[in-house]
Amino acid sequence: MINLRRILILLSILIVCLTGCSGHIECSSVQAQAKAPSEDGFTGYVVDRKDDSVLVVDPAYQDHGLDGEESRYYPAKWFSNAPDPQIASYVEVWTDGRPENEPYPGQARADKIAVSCPNTPDGAHLSEADAIRGGLYSPDGAKARVPVIEDVQFDHDAGTWTIRIRDAMSTTENQDEIDIKVEDVEREE
């Protein structure tokens, strides 16, 4: 089930990139220092950065509950050697094959990073990534220690984005689910 979810997420990202990014080089940027890896990378949203490292959290959770109770585990890793991706970018990261540190969130060294194109719905001023960034930087978004971008919706009539974030480190039943409203206003350059 989880593999099917990942395939659907990757397929939807590919469709968005093919339809919305023709001619945009920056959104399909790839940082590569070695040969292309042979196995699937780690996918998710960049939710934090420190120096040349980024924290990537996969919104596709694994259920680790016992006896029918739900216990969500969201894969998350800090990747060093990752200077390019902005916070809120959806990325796929391949490692250099060195052993990874296991404390949560894990730690690894990035070998290659593919950045997906941000989606901007018709009538929206902000891209999905801009809205997510606004949610993460809001006071409510800053409360999550390891934020999981669970859902992003644009309401054209209201001119607002709703970003659903959970805290992957939370032990509460709903893992501190937070719905953040972000106004869809034109970005100032």
Side-chain angles (χ1 to χ4, degrees), residues 114-146:
V115 180
S116 297
C117 302
N119 179 28
T120 304
D122 288 339
H125 297 290
L126 298 177
S127 70
E128 183 177 277
D130 292 330
I132 292 169
R133 213 171 0 268
L136 288 170
Y137 290 142
S138 74
D140 286 337
K143 292 177 187 175
R145 293 170 290 172
V146 177

Side-chain angles (χ1 to χ4, degrees), residues 131 153-162 180-185:
Q153 297 291 322
F154 175 64
D155 182 344
H156 185 273
D157 295 333
T160 59
W161 291 83
T162 302
I180 301 170
K181 299 285 185 189
V182 175
E183 295 294 319
D184 184 57
V185 294

Side-chain angles (χ1 to χ4, degrees), residues 161-180:
W161 291 83
T162 302
I163 316 301
R164 176 166 293 143
I165 296 175
R166 289 184 190 260
D167 186 351
M169 296 291 287
S170 174
T171 57
T172 64
E173 186 175 317
N174 68 353
Q175 289 185 279
D176 296 335
E177 180 179 290
I178 307 165
D179 281 339
I180 301 170

